[in-house]
Structures are given as structure tokens and as C-alpha cells.
Amino acid sequence: MNNGYSKDLDDSLYTGAMFQSFFKDSPQSVVIKANTPHFTILAVSDRFVEISLKSRAELLGKNLFDVFPDNTKDPSGKERAFTAITEVMKTKKKVDLPIYKYDIYSSETGKMEPFYWSNSNQPIFNEAGEVSYIVNTTSNVTAQVMLKEMAATSEENLVLQQQRLNKMFLKAPMGMALYSKDDFVIEYANEAICKMWNKGAPEEVLGHSIFDLIPSLQEAGYREIYKQVVETGIPYLSKESPVTYDRNGVMETYYFDLNLEPVYGPKKEITGMLSLANEVTEQVLTRKNIENAEERLRLASEATGIGSWDLDLQTRDIIYSSSLADLFGYPGVTDLSHEQLRAVIHPEDTGAVEVAFQTALISGKYNYQARIIRPDKVIYWIKVTGKVLFSREGTPLRMLGTVMDITESKHEEIQKNDFIAIASHELKTPLTSLKAYAQLLKTGKGVSDPTFVSSIGTRIEGQINKMTKLVYSFLDLSKIESNKTELTKELISLNQIISDVASDYLFQEKNHPVTFEPEELPLIYADRHKITQVIDNLISNAIKYSPQGGKVIVTAKRQDQEVLVSVEDHGIGIDNNHTQKIFDRFYRIDDLQVKNASGFGIGLYLCADIIARHEGKIGLQSEPGVGSNFYFTLPVQPGH
């Protein structure tokens, strides 16, 4: 018969040296290809090699039922195994065989020997959702079955059964022990369970109570469990039971699948207990590590607001994380459809999203940025990235991806673009004026008139001063961004600084007289240039946002251990919606009365940073149509 051993590219994962090396040491048994009726063996573990009585070379690449033909007189085991495997392919679910008889050939005896097995068959799917491979995990339970048979057999056959059992029992990979009924004295133990206990050879543990041998078992409550089995006759089964004991000089927790069975005497009375233990510590710890890693990934994803999703492109069914539902404004909702999620997209962006989706079905890469309108009517920006999985024929099957909230960065990007446009405009205006004055002087007209030349010079100086302020604002912003802002502190007089700044506006602002009536103030330890910059900016803003003219009032007074400076205007005022953001970088009020005012949203941001570095506070009180009062405080030095 053709062994059906496939050299397909997909098989290379299992037939490759790396997987073979990994799988041979694993607790699993065998990987078979779902190529019915051949079921080619692709990988086997060392444990399976031991219990199969075959060499690795006799197994790899061969058909499962060619290697294990079963007894021709009673092929029921082979039939049950074949049915179980084909059932996996049909139902696409795990299929277990608790206990069944399947004879295999023993080179030691030269004939087919009866064995009893327990196994499970786990499907592995391809991208199309079909079963491509099956992981068969098998345990040899012959000794367990024989023990039960021995307890029920006649005394005449007892010795023969014991001899056969002894051979199977001692070398079985599963840990086995037989205890007396009264104090659970070890009457029989195989090599596997002695290795688990780390207590030497079987002959060294016989005659000892298991609770004297491993006292921590009693502390963990296992004596009561053992007593319950021998008193009620009800077996005890548990998966991944934790047991803490000293195995290698250190108290550690190990995990076992346990099966405790009562043992009966000739008169059907309970005489003891059989313990079957399969250590699963490695599997449990591996799973816990994976679960921990997944949990850390989930928490990290939730903490960063990243949502994940998995879309079936054939049915449009979607699975998504809780953080995605939160982002879309549906916290706790787990049954949103793909159509419902699509409906949240901003109407102006739906076209671009659909183009990105259709492109992904061809290229395999899904990528777009768009706005969503949540149920609370708040607009968010999202960034979506995904990958399409195709079948061998090129049919798109699934799309996997993530969704990230980029609202803040998108707003910042928009603000930066606005800033560049405004900054360009602000620099262009004085440059245009300077160019006009230069051309006027170049003509030579009026050069002999000292008054004319003085007037032109004053205007040029004003435009240069305006550009200088803009350039220094850029430099200050750059220093804040790189955290290189430095203060040169000295004892300064706030009254003197305010008076100097107010004097500068005395002649250039006829419609906005700046008034300041000094009060007695202590000297302040601060950076003269930076504080001058703050006061100048606040007065400049007060004038700018009072288009109809009006007095600007500056006050400075002591309040306990602080000096409070305020700049009050009677201009258009600022709505409360903006008062908390007015000091943010690049923030400009989206209001028709304000939008046409010059400036690009960094002046107040720089002021806030300067005052914060002086350990002071800055704030705003304002009412639309009435005016605004910007204020800041600076600490008074002890002794002043």
C-alpha cells in the first residue's frame, strides 16, 4: 500500500528538524496527517516510542494503521481508533477514547500482545477551517486494567497475573502505587511514581505510609480524600491537582492528573487503593505562562486603548476585544455586528474606509484613519490596521487587526498645520512691509526730508521688533519641547518691569491706554527677561482681543507669601469652554470674533511654562462680551 507520506509544504512544519526536536521531548504522543485512510505519521514523542514498542524510524512517515494493524481475529480496537479519527475530521472537534483494547506486535515475544489504551484526538485546522492534522495523545493503561482484573480473578490465576502485571507495572510511564486500606502503607510502587516522589527505587518505599514519606500530602488534605475512596468505594478523579512537597531540596508545587481507585478482595470487600498519577507540571506551567503573557498583552492593549478584532470575510461575523467596544462608545456590549461598527464611521469618511477595505481584499493590507461619531455624539479619530488571510486559491478568508484612538495626536497634527500656516502669515506681513519701505527708500524720494526718513525708520524698527518677537517665541517653544529652558534668576522689581512694558505701549496704542498704579511690593527672585515676556504677552493679548478699544488695567499686589499680577481688559471675553485649554500649545479659539486676530497659539503656552518654572500659578477669569482678566502669581522669597 502506498504510505501516502506527503511532502507538501504545509507538512514541513511538522517534519522539520526544529519541530521534531521539540516534539520528541513533549508530553504529547503523535502528529498524524488527516489524509484518510492513510493517516501518515509526521512526528512522535519519546513517550510514544516507548509505549508503542517501535523505533522512531519504524514510525515516522508510515501510515498509522500499517504500523499498528491490530489482531486480525479481533480488530475492534483498530475499528474504534479509525472511527474516532474520522469523527474528528467530520465534527471538527476533539474526540476521546477512554479505554479500549488494541493489540500490538512485540518483538520481544514475537507475537501480538494485548494492550489497553486511553487517548484523545485533537484537530488542527488549516486556513480554510478544515482539519489538516490530528494530535493523538495516548496513554498505556494496561496495568490499570490488569489490576482491576486481578482484584476480581480467582486465587489460582493470581500469581500468573501478578507476574505479568509486575513487568508492565514497574516500567509503565504513568506513576502507579498500591496502598493498604488502614494507614495507606505502600504495598506496590512502580519506577515512575518513585521518580515523581524522588524517593529512590520501589523497594526503598515499600512498607512506608505515603503520609510518612511525604508529610505535606496530609497537610494538603489528601488523607481525607484517600479515606473517602476506601470507605465509600467511589473513585476519585482530578485534573491538574497541585501538590507541594520537597522533591529536590526545595519545597515546590507540582501538578498531577490523579485517579484513585478502590481495590477489592475475593469477597468484594475493599482492601486498599490504587493510585494512578500522571505528572502535568510542565504543561500547566507552560499554559500559565501563555495565559499570563496573553493577560499582560490584554492589559497592555486595554491600557493603551488599542482594540483588536477578527472578521470572518465569508460570513462577516466579527469577534472583538472589550477595549474596541469602549472606543466605539459601547462599553460592555459584546454582540455588535460588523455593520453596526461600520455605521459609527463619520459620513464624510465612509467612502475612504470602503476603498481601504476593498484594497485590502487584493493587497492583504488594511490601513486607514477616519473619524467616528460615538452614540454620545463625541467625534473621535481612529487608526485601523489589519491583515487579510487568504486560502490557497487566493480567496480572502479572514481579516485580523487593531484599532487605536489617535484623537489627541490628530488634533495636535491639525493644530501644528494651523500653526505653520498662521506663522507663515505672521512672518509674511512684516516682511512685506519691510520690502515696501526698502523699495520706497530705494527710489530716493523724500530721502532729503529728515522727518520722512525718521518716520520710515520708526516703521521699519517696529516691523523688525515684531519679527524679533515671533522668532524668539519659536526659539522659546523649541527649548520647552527639548526641555532646555534655563532661568537666570535675580532680585527684580515687578513694579519697574510693568512700568517699562506699559510705557512701550504708551505711544503705539492710542485706543488702548494701559494704566498701572504701583503699590509697594517686595523684590522677587526671578528671571527678568522671562517675566517681562509674560507681562508683555498678556498686555498684547488684552489689546488684541479688545477690537473696539478700551482701557487695559494692570495691577500688582502682595497676597501673603505671593505677589498677584493681573491684566484686565474690556474686550470680547472668552467662553468658559475655552478657559481650561487656553494655555495649551497651539490652542486657538474657534470663534469668528477671535479667528481673525493675529497670533498662532503659543504665547499663552510660553507664559504658562515660564510661570510654572518660577513655581507660580497662572489663570483666567472671563465673561463673553464683558472682558477678561489674566493673572499670575509669583512666590515671595523669605525675608522680603
Side-chain angles (χ1 to χ4, degrees):
M1 179 187 289
N2 179 7
N3 68 15
Y5 185 48
S6 172
K7 293 295 184 180
D8 292 347
L9 180 62
D10 289 346
D11 294 345
S12 62
L13 170 64
Y14 303 105
T15 59
M18 183 176 294
F19 182 85
Q20 293 284 326
S21 176
F22 157 76
F23 194 79
K24 67 187 293 288
D25 297 323
S26 75
Q28 304 295 343
S29 295
V30 58
V31 177
I32 59 176
K33 187 176 177 68
N35 55 340
T36 183
H38 307 297
F39 301 114
T40 307
I41 300 171
L42 301 181
V44 292
S45 69
D46 288 343
R47 293 186 185 182
F48 187 80
V49 172
E50 291 177 6
I51 63 177
S52 67
L53 306 182
K54 306 284 184 183
S55 67
R56 189 176 300 277
E58 292 177 288
L59 297 169
L60 289 178
K62 306 300 190 301
N63 296 335
L64 181 66
F65 295 109
D66 288 350
V67 178
F68 302 106
D70 202 6
N71 194 322
T72 54
K73 295 181 180 180
D74 180 18
S76 60
K78 176 181 177 180
E79 292 169 358
R80 290 188 65 188
F82 186 89
T83 300
I85 295 174
T86 53
E87 187 72 11
V88 172
M89 298 174 63
K90 180 180 177 181
T91 64
K92 300 182 180 181
K93 296 180 179 178
K94 177 183 175 185
V95 176
D96 295 328
L97 281 177
I99 296 179
Y100 68 105
K101 180 174 174 290
Y102 197 132
D103 295 358
I104 62 174
Y105 180 78
S106 170
S107 58
E108 188 176 326
T109 63
K111 60 181 181 178
M112 299 293 286
E113 295 287 349
F115 285 86
Y116 292 88
W117 312 90
S118 172
N119 72 20
S120 66
N121 299 278
Q122 180 74 43
I124 298 177
F125 303 98
N126 60 19
E127 292 183 349
E130 301 298 325
V131 178
S132 289
Y133 307 94
I134 298 170
V135 179
N136 174 285
T137 303
T138 298
S139 299
N140 184 346
V141 296
T142 306
Q144 177 184 351
V145 174
M146 291 177 60
L147 275 173
K148 289 185 177 181
E149 291 177 353
M150 186 179 71
T153 193
S154 62
E155 291 188 12
E156 296 82 45
N157 293 325
L158 188 58
V159 174
L160 181 62
Q161 288 277 37
Q162 283 182 330
Q163 288 176 348
R164 185 183 174 203
L165 174 65
N166 186 56
K167 183 176 180 181
M168 296 291 302
F169 187 81
L170 285 176
K171 299 295 183 182
M174 178 178 288
M176 300 182 182
L178 191 63
Y179 304 114
S180 67
K181 177 182 179 180
D182 296 327
D183 200 27
F184 302 105
V185 172
I186 301 169
E187 296 179 345
Y188 220 82
N190 71 347
E191 293 176 355
I193 203 162
C194 289
K195 184 178 180 181
M196 294 177 191
W197 293 339
N198 194 31
K199 298 298 180 182
E203 56 270 18
E204 296 178 57
V205 301
L206 299 181
H208 296 279
S209 169
I210 183 61
F211 296 107
D212 291 338
L213 200 67
I214 307 178
S216 59
L217 284 176
Q218 181 158 319
E219 298 170 8
Y222 280 93
R223 182 182 285 274
E224 295 303 317
I225 295 174
Y226 286 17
K227 285 176 64 178
Q228 188 176 11
V229 172
V230 298
E231 289 175 0
T232 66
I234 300 174
Y236 174 82
L237 298 172
S238 71
K239 292 288 187 181
E240 300 180 0
S241 294
V243 181
T244 302
Y245 63 97
D246 181 353
R247 177 184 283 183
N248 298 305
V250 180
M251 292 293 290
E252 291 189 30
T253 300
Y254 304 91
Y255 296 87
F256 300 89
D257 289 344
L258 294 177
N259 182 6
L260 306 178
E261 297 270 358
V263 175
Y264 295 90
K267 299 180 181 180
K268 305 300 180 182
E269 79 282 10
I270 295 176
T271 60
M273 185 186 74
L274 171 66
S275 170
L276 304 173
N278 182 35
E279 184 171 359
V280 291
T281 303
E282 183 179 346
Q283 297 96 304
V284 171
L285 295 181
T286 299
R287 190 188 70 245
K288 287 181 179 292
N289 287 336
I290 293 173
E291 290 173 349
N292 289 338
E294 290 176 344
E295 179 65 10
R296 287 195 296 271
L297 180 60
R298 184 186 66 80
L299 291 174
S301 178
E302 291 180 355
T304 55
I306 298 175
S308 58
W309 49 270
D310 183 346
L311 175 65
D312 187 325
L313 294 172
Q314 304 300 308
T315 65
R316 291 301 173 97
D317 292 335
I318 189 168
I319 302 171
Y320 55 85
S321 66
S322 59
S323 53
L324 184 143
D326 293 342
L327 176 57
F328 275 68
Y330 293 98
V333 180
T334 59
D335 58 351
L336 292 170
S337 67
H338 183 238
E339 290 74 19
Q340 287 174 299
L341 293 171
R342 271 289 191 93
V344 182
I345 301 294
H346 195 289
E348 295 178 7
D349 296 338
T350 53
V353 171
E354 182 59 27
V355 169
F357 187 83
Q358 296 301 326
T359 302
L361 297 181
I362 301 172
S363 68
K365 294 181 180 180
Y366 193 36
N367 198 335
Y368 71 83
Q369 295 181 12
R371 291 162 292 177
I372 60 173
I373 305 175
R374 302 190 347 166
D376 57 7
K377 305 304 179 185
V378 177
I379 296 177
Y380 278 73
W381 277 92
I382 60 170
K383 179 180 180 180
V384 177
T385 56
K387 179 180 181 181
V388 178
L389 302 181
F390 297 89
S391 68
R392 292 182 180 178
E393 294 75 28
T395 303
L397 301 176
R398 292 167 62 203
M399 187 183 287
L400 308 151
T402 60
V403 181
M404 182 184 301
D405 179 3
I406 60 168
T407 305
E408 186 175 343
S409 61
K410 196 68 178 179
H411 285 170
E412 187 168 308
E413 179 185 332
I414 294 171
Q415 288 173 341
K416 282 184 177 180
N417 291 337
D418 290 344
F419 164 74
I420 292 171
I422 296 167
S424 299
H425 174 74
E426 292 290 325
L427 287 170
K428 181 181 179 182
T429 301
L431 283 172
T432 302
S433 297
L434 288 172
K435 184 177 181 180
Y437 295 144
Q439 289 175 341
L440 185 59
L441 290 174
K442 189 177 179 181
T443 62
K445 294 180 180 180
V447 176
S448 59
D449 183 353
T451 303
F452 174 78
V453 173
S454 176
S455 174
I456 292 295
T458 300
R459 293 178 185 181
I460 290 174
E461 184 180 22
Q463 296 300 325
I464 290 173
N465 288 338
K466 187 174 182 179
M467 289 186 63
T468 301
K469 284 185 178 181
L470 291 175
V471 172
Y472 275 114
S473 294
F474 297 152
L475 292 175
D476 288 340
L477 177 64
S478 175
K479 289 178 181 178
I480 292 175
E481 298 296 309
S482 60
N483 198 28
K484 293 182 179 180
T485 301
E486 296 181 357
L487 301 180
T488 304
K489 290 186 176 183
E490 58 182 313
L491 288 175
I492 62 174
S493 168
L494 280 177
N495 283 336
Q496 186 62 52
I497 291 176
I498 296 171
S499 297
D500 292 344
V501 175
S503 297
D504 291 340
Y505 288 95
L506 184 62
F507 299 104
Q508 50 183 302
E509 295 294 342
K510 302 298 183 183
N511 295 327
H512 300 88
V514 180
T515 66
F516 173 60
E517 297 180 2
E519 297 183 11
E520 186 177 349
L521 294 176
L523 297 177
I524 299 297
Y525 192 62
D527 186 311
R528 181 186 301 275
H529 171 72
K530 298 294 185 186
I531 299 303
T532 301
Q533 185 179 347
V534 171
I535 295 171
D536 181 71
N537 194 289
L538 296 183
I539 294 177
S540 174
N541 276 354
I543 294 171
K544 186 189 306 180
Y545 298 114
S546 302
Q548 304 303 321
K551 186 183 296 185
V552 175
I553 304 170
V554 184
T555 60
K557 57 182 66 178
R558 179 166 183 164
Q559 290 185 340
D560 297 326
Q561 296 304 308
E562 294 179 328
V563 171
L564 172 66
V565 179
S566 65
V567 178
E568 182 180 355
D569 66 62
H570 298 86
I572 59 178
I574 298 172
D575 188 272
N576 287 335
N577 294 330
H578 303 288
T579 54
Q580 298 300 319
K581 300 178 181 179
I582 197 73
F583 297 101
D584 291 350
R585 181 184 56 173
F586 304 138
Y587 188 79
R588 300 184 81 242
I589 299 172
D590 189 14
D591 188 288
L592 289 177
Q593 295 185 79
V594 180
K595 209 166 188 179
N596 295 325
S598 61
F600 39 87
I602 65 171
L604 292 176
Y605 173 69
L606 296 175
C607 290
D609 180 74
I610 290 170
I611 297 303
R613 292 177 185 273
H614 282 83
E615 300 179 3
K617 297 177 182 177
I618 193 167
L620 165 65
Q621 294 175 341
S622 187
E623 185 177 345
V626 177
S628 301
N629 181 12
F630 281 89
Y631 62 88
F632 66 87
T633 64
L634 292 173
V636 175
Q637 294 298 310
H640 291 276

